[in-house]
Amino acid sequence: MAAIHSQESAVPVRQFDGRRVLAARRAARLQRHELGRMLSLSKDSIGDWERCDTAPSPERLPALAEALGQDLDVLFPRLGPPDLKDLRCDAGFTQAEAGRALGISRLPLSNAEAGTRELKADYIEPLADLYGVSREELEAAQERSFGKSSAPTADQLPQTLGEKITSVLQRKPLSDREIADAVNAAAGFPAVDAAGIEALRTDSRESAEVQAALPPDSLFAGLGAAFDVQPWFFAPGEEVERQILDRLEFLSLMRSDGVSVAARGASEGVSAAMLATLSEVLVRHENASRSEES
């Protein structure tokens, strides 16, 4: 996905993709000048964002998501847990604005966000209140600001099965035995043990053998159940896209035969994020087909 990230830091605060903004604005039935007026910006600025020519500063993203009627985490997903800068931007403050609100200069905030000097103890509680988080959340964010090398960058998103398992383990720690139990429950018999899960988690040479011994879809179903995520999170991206295209082709055939097809629970329409994702998939495969024909 061709997304633009904040250039103020090597670690993006949130992912920004102008195509999602465009889809969300159209879903909200807003003109560019209307959205610009809500944000005290020109319609040209909105157009630059939607074309991915420029990106808004990170502290503008909460107001932009609110104006579009979208959830911040859905429209602009974060790469990993928040650090101090993330919390500030999610609260919609620049460093100078946050400093003024606390009655201090921006320097202590800048030093803490850069991981060079921790916040004074008497700044912690007021800053947590300003950002709308707990003291514990602020202190955890400060710890991450002093260890930024462990935060994922744009090219470090989980790609392999092992990387995906490792990423969800950070949110919900489980033992290899517990993961194996969930996969075996999905398979209906003892198909994998803790050692097999370790092979999958570490992307070892035995990983392919473990996957080949499992019934189709049981691995993804079991992992999804274990970590409370959609099973297809663990599938290769190409496979997911192929499934999407197959289903779209099926719906197209149904419509061409005069069969009415309605989506369950779709009374409020398709979300902007889903529209943007479908658009990306279709455009990518259309371009690939043209390249093969030429």
Side-chain angles (χ1 to χ4, degrees):
M1 180 173 63
I4 288 181
H5 306 289
S6 165
Q7 297 180 3
E8 297 180 13
S9 168
V11 180
V13 177
R14 287 184 179 276
Q15 289 182 295
F16 176 85
D17 191 326
R19 292 167 296 184
R20 291 186 175 184
V21 175
L22 173 61
R25 178 176 62 77
R26 288 177 174 172
R29 298 184 179 180
L30 288 172
Q31 298 296 317
R32 282 179 179 170
H33 72 273
E34 293 174 322
L35 179 58
R37 186 169 59 248
M38 296 168 70
L39 300 172
S40 300
L41 294 168
S42 69
K43 67 176 183 180
D44 291 335
S45 295
I46 304 300
D48 288 341
W49 292 350
E50 293 178 347
R51 290 189 296 271
C52 294
D53 292 337
T54 63
S57 57
E59 60 269 12
R60 281 192 178 274
L61 297 183
L64 177 55
E66 182 178 3
L68 293 171
Q70 295 288 321
D71 183 274
L72 179 64
D73 290 321
V74 172
L75 193 58
F76 308 119
R78 194 204 316 277
L79 301 176
D83 60 14
L84 283 175
K85 179 177 179 178
D86 297 338
L87 293 185
R88 173 177 58 77
C89 292
D90 282 359
F93 292 104
T94 63
Q95 285 182 350
E97 290 168 342
R100 284 196 296 270
L102 294 177
I104 63 176
S105 75
R106 59 179 289 275
L107 189 58
L109 302 179
S110 177
N111 288 336
E113 289 182 9
T116 58
R117 181 177 298 178
E118 292 190 357
L119 293 165
K120 291 182 179 180
D122 54 354
Y123 291 167
I124 298 294
E125 200 72 46
L127 194 60
D129 291 341
L130 182 66
Y131 292 168
V133 298
S134 68
R135 182 187 184 96
E136 291 74 17
E137 288 173 316
L138 188 82
E139 290 174 337
Q142 179 166 237
E143 290 180 5
R144 285 188 284 270
S145 290
F146 281 77
K148 281 185 179 288
S149 59
S150 62
T153 57
D155 58 354
Q156 292 175 325
L157 290 172
Q159 299 295 327
T160 68
L161 177 60
E163 290 173 350
K164 292 177 179 180
I165 294 174
T166 300
S167 71
V168 291
L169 276 170
Q170 297 174 8
R171 179 177 57 84
K172 185 177 181 180
L174 294 174
S175 68
D176 290 340
R177 179 70 266 168
E178 290 172 319
I179 299 173
D181 289 343
V183 173
N184 289 334
F189 67 96
V192 64
D193 57 13
I197 296 299
E198 181 182 6
L200 297 174
R201 178 170 51 79
T202 57
D203 287 320
S204 71
R205 287 180 296 180
E206 292 77 20
S207 177
E209 298 178 8
V210 173
Q211 293 187 59
L214 290 166
D217 299 332
S218 62
L219 175 58
F220 300 151
L223 291 173
F227 292 106
D228 301 319
V229 299
Q230 290 295 323
W232 287 111
F233 170 79
F234 300 97
E238 297 81 2
E239 184 174 342
V240 177
E241 290 186 3
R242 184 69 261 166
Q243 292 280 344
I244 292 172
L245 291 171
D246 287 345
R247 282 156 177 74
L248 287 174
E249 184 176 359
F250 171 75
L251 288 176
S252 177
L253 289 172
M254 293 284 283
R255 286 181 179 275
S256 65
D257 290 339
V259 180
S260 176
V261 180
R264 291 179 295 177
S267 59
E268 297 182 0
V270 180
S271 70
M274 186 178 295
L275 285 172
T277 302
L278 284 172
S279 176
E280 293 168 17
V281 171
L282 291 172
V283 168
R284 179 160 53 250
H285 281 268
E286 181 180 358
N287 290 339
S289 297
R290 289 175 178 174
S291 298
E292 292 175 358
E293 292 173 358
S294 60

